[in-house]
Amino acid sequence: MIDRTVKDSRLLVGMDTCDDAGVYLLNGATALVQTLDVITPVVDDPADFGFIAAINALSDIYAMGGTPLTALSLLAFDPCDLPHEAAQEIMVGAVEALSSNNCSLIGGHTLEDPEIKFGLAVTGIVNAGSVVTNSDARAGDMIYITKPLGTGIVSTAVKGEVAPEDLLDKSTGWMKTSNRDASTAMLQSGVTSATDVTGFGLLGHLFEMCRGSALGAVLDLNSVPLMAGIDELARMGFIPEGAYNNRKYLENVIDPGEISDDLLLPLFDPQTSGGLLVAIPPEKADLFEFTFSEADVFFARIGLFTEPPVAIKIVSSF
Ligand code: CO
Ligand code: CO
């Protein structure tokens, strides 16, 4: 691999562990957390799209246990295709999402492009002693996820014009849900390692945690939360291409046992603005569940980290 960073002892998290954000020590106690995320439209409403893109970009800061401070936006669009008002709506949605997370938009850039893209670079701070990486899980840690899966499948069904209205609303609602409260709650309950679930799907991001931590994992299929109606759309074949790519990429590290292929597909579904994937020591599980319940944040316990080899075994009940 190309070494893309200068040797700098202040660089606490660089590119080598495929983490959610880079972390750079500013002084004894405070470090910068920086990330960038750009997405193509996942919903028709421009304001919702801007809102979701911002929540999605903020998520990497929250996955590291950080607090976002400022953001820069990047909007690519074709002015002949997208009316000026729609471009403005995207920005309005983004600013609304950032403000509700105490993050200020301080600049940005637009450019012409035949395909609409919108994203943000977000800068935050984190206490240098409590950075949460994706590579510090320990064997025996419980695995929790903080949003149900299915946003990629819903977007695909929307394109096929078969997504039920209420499922579309649910999916949009989840994508607009900030991971801030989940981040606060995991920090209060002894998290050892975390990431957020985005384009590589649940299994792709779990595998990154396994590889970074040099551990295996066992996942209980029946405990993995799907939005209601997702399994049916998956059975009907509304699976985004990204899910198949993720499955191909992971084929040598997933042991599905007797479980049939179609049941596994939602676990590869690329998520936009997905939940956090959190490793919690078993003795902290009660505290974690209590803290999340008190904070009214969704969670599901879906498996546990195991000794090497670095691979994921899927079972249909513990
Ligand atoms: Co991430
Ligand atoms: Co990201």
Side-chain angles (χ1 to χ4, degrees), residues 20 60 195-196 198 205:
D20 298 298
D60 281 327
T195 191
D196 60 341
T198 52
H205 291 283

Side-chain angles (χ1 to χ4, degrees), residues 106-179:
I106 58 167
H109 183 71
T110 57
L111 58 128
E112 282 191 30
D113 191 307
E115 189 189 22
I116 302 170
K117 300 179 190 80
F118 181 63
L120 305 99
V122 184
T123 299
I125 47 170
V126 64
N127 187 308
S130 48
V131 178
V132 181
T133 75
N134 67 353
S135 50
D136 281 320
R138 286 178 293 212
D141 282 356
M142 305 285 184
I143 304 168
Y144 287 90
I145 190 169
T146 69
K147 289 184 190 179
L149 300 175
T151 68
I153 289 170
V154 173
S155 298
T156 308
V158 168
K159 284 176 200 141
E161 294 179 357
V162 295
E165 198 68 34
D166 57 331
L167 180 53
L168 177 58
D169 288 348
K170 273 229 174 72
S171 180
T172 303
W174 279 117
M175 290 191 284
K176 289 176 78 172
T177 300
S178 170
N179 280 328

Side-chain angles (χ1 to χ4, degrees), residues 19-21 35-37 56-57 60 196 198:
D19 216 320
D20 298 298
T35 181
L36 166 67
D37 254 295
N56 183 63
D60 281 327
D196 60 341
T198 52

Side-chain angles (χ1 to χ4, degrees), residues 32-114:
L32 273 184
V33 202
Q34 296 182 287
T35 181
L36 166 67
D37 254 295
V38 179
I39 61 172
T40 54
V42 285
V43 288
D44 290 332
D45 181 78
D48 276 347
F49 172 50
F51 198 106
I52 290 167
I55 294 296
N56 183 63
L58 288 163
S59 177
D60 281 327
I61 302 287
Y62 290 129
M64 306 294 295
T67 305
L69 297 177
T70 60
L72 301 165
S73 66
L74 181 74
L75 175 60
F77 69 106
D78 181 348
C80 302
D81 254 18
L82 187 77
H84 182 71
E85 300 75 49
Q88 216 148 31
E89 281 291 295
I90 294 175
M91 296 307 300
V92 167
V95 168
E96 198 193 329
L98 292 171
S99 314
S100 61
N101 285 271
N102 285 321
C103 183
S104 303
L105 186 69
I106 58 167
H109 183 71
T110 57
L111 58 128
E112 282 191 30
D113 191 307

